[in-house]
Amino acid sequence: MDLDIKHHCTEAAMDALADLGITAFPVCLPDLVSRVRHSMGVRVCTYSRLAQRAGVAPEQLFLRLNSADAATLQLSGRTVVAYNDSQGIVPGRKRFTLAHELGHITLGHFDQEAYYREQGLLTPPDVQLEMEREADYFASVFLAPLEVAMAIIWPYRISVYSLFALLRSAFRLSKEAAYYRSREILGRASLLLAQPERAENFDSYINRTRGLYDQHAMDILTDRYRSEYDQTQTRIWEARGGKAYLPVRMLDPMRLQEPLRQMQKLFKYHR
């Protein structure tokens, strides 16, 4: 994904947060559902309720929607986002799934698909894959904005482990989402995308969260999540063999220190 597309997705996600009035994290799922309904006019329902109304088993619904996570539908002229509410799915994944669908809506992906349908064509696989990547990136920014995470963590000793720990504990991202988001934040593109002033809308949350930690507490938190980061990286590598939406390769965390130091300087100067 090139820099211009990342910038577009980031702007869209930050605008969505502002439009929905979200100024603190983690984004509570029931609250997000309510805000999306009232501010965007998008109805959100669960798979269990949708399956009940359709008179089918949840497994049949998965097949009909071609997704076990979520789907966006047009029902009676209204946009409806349905998501899997199974108890076995962790809340972090449900939030990410819903944010992913909001990304499709906000980024105009359904208009792109409609264009191909009007031409009597299926959406090309490469276009479909790019839209999925964009929706994933939108969701990552929406649930854990770079500027907010860095505004919280810059006064401390920063490492990929401490950033992962913050994303897991303060933003409540799932293990995989926190791993990918830490990689995105530490990517060199983030130095070009970062706009520290964006954090100003979240100052109350930033100050409250930073007040929970001193360096000793941050060190303890980092140690608690260190093995989880390593295990997540190994699991992703073994399961996908380096083939994923985001390039995956085993990476020595020490190689990420220079981008971290540059990002730390940027936010220290601004704050």
Side-chain angles (χ1 to χ4, degrees):
M1 192 185 306
D2 65 32
L3 188 64
D4 287 341
I5 294 177
K6 287 184 176 181
H7 176 75
H8 174 62
C9 294
T10 298
E11 290 293 319
M14 298 306 292
D15 286 346
L17 286 170
D19 292 343
L20 294 172
I22 295 172
T23 58
F25 303 90
V27 179
C28 174
L29 187 60
D31 183 46
L32 177 59
V33 168
S34 176
R35 289 173 186 267
V36 167
R37 183 173 64 250
H38 291 298
S39 298
M40 298 178 64
V42 174
R43 183 182 175 188
V44 181
C45 71
T46 62
Y47 269 16
S48 59
R49 182 175 181 183
L50 194 61
Q52 185 179 31
R53 289 182 61 183
V56 300
E59 294 76 13
Q60 292 177 295
L61 186 67
F62 299 165
L63 293 174
R64 289 188 183 185
L65 298 178
N66 195 32
S67 174
D69 290 318
T72 299
L73 315 167
Q74 290 294 326
L75 299 177
S76 302
R78 187 176 182 183
T79 301
V80 177
V81 174
Y83 70 94
N84 193 340
D85 56 328
S86 300
Q87 291 185 352
I89 300 178
V90 297
R93 181 174 173 181
K94 292 177 184 177
R95 283 195 298 270
F96 190 92
T97 297
L98 181 52
H100 175 99
E101 293 303 314
L102 293 181
H104 281 310
I105 295 170
T106 304
L107 297 170
H109 291 165
F110 297 109
D111 293 335
Q112 292 183 49
E113 291 181 334
Y115 168 79
Y116 285 105
R117 284 197 301 272
E118 290 171 1
Q119 307 301 314
L121 302 171
L122 295 175
T123 304
D126 58 330
V127 174
Q128 191 67 49
L129 179 59
E130 186 62 25
M131 290 193 296
E132 292 302 317
R133 287 172 172 166
E134 291 175 10
D136 276 348
Y137 195 85
F138 173 99
S140 294
V141 176
F142 184 88
L143 296 174
L146 177 156
E147 291 83 2
V148 179
M150 289 305 302
I152 293 171
I153 204 172
W154 76 259
Y156 307 108
R157 284 191 292 271
I158 303 180
S159 69
V160 63
Y161 293 119
S162 62
L163 180 57
F164 177 84
L166 181 72
L167 294 173
R168 288 283 287 134
S169 60
F171 294 87
R172 303 290 176 86
L173 297 187
S174 66
K175 296 176 185 178
E176 188 168 312
Y179 173 79
Y180 280 124
R181 188 58 179 146
S182 64
R183 295 284 295 266
E184 289 166 352
I185 290 175
L186 298 176
R188 295 198 177 275
S190 292
L191 289 168
L192 301 175
L193 293 169
Q195 296 181 23
E197 62 275 10
R198 286 192 186 123
E200 293 173 0
N201 292 336
F202 307 89
D203 272 347
S204 178
Y205 167 75
I206 290 168
N207 293 331
R208 184 170 68 252
T209 304
R210 194 188 292 165
L212 299 175
Y213 306 105
D214 56 18
Q215 186 60 64
H216 179 64
M218 183 60 71
D219 289 343
I220 293 174
L221 186 71
T222 300
D223 288 341
R224 182 186 307 166
Y225 284 97
R226 185 183 301 272
S227 62
E228 189 173 278
Y229 175 92
D230 290 336
Q231 291 167 7
T232 301
Q233 176 168 254
T234 300
R235 185 174 64 253
I236 290 173
W237 171 256
E238 291 177 346
R240 301 183 177 180
K243 297 179 181 179
Y245 290 159
L246 293 173
V248 178
R249 64 184 186 279
M250 298 296 283
L251 185 61
D252 181 356
M254 292 305 295
R255 290 180 55 191
L256 302 174
Q257 286 304 109
E258 183 55 33
L260 270 174
R261 280 193 287 267
Q262 294 182 40
M263 192 74 74
Q264 190 174 26
K265 288 180 181 178
L266 176 65
F267 280 83
K268 180 178 181 180
Y269 175 80
H270 181 78
R271 303 299 287 188

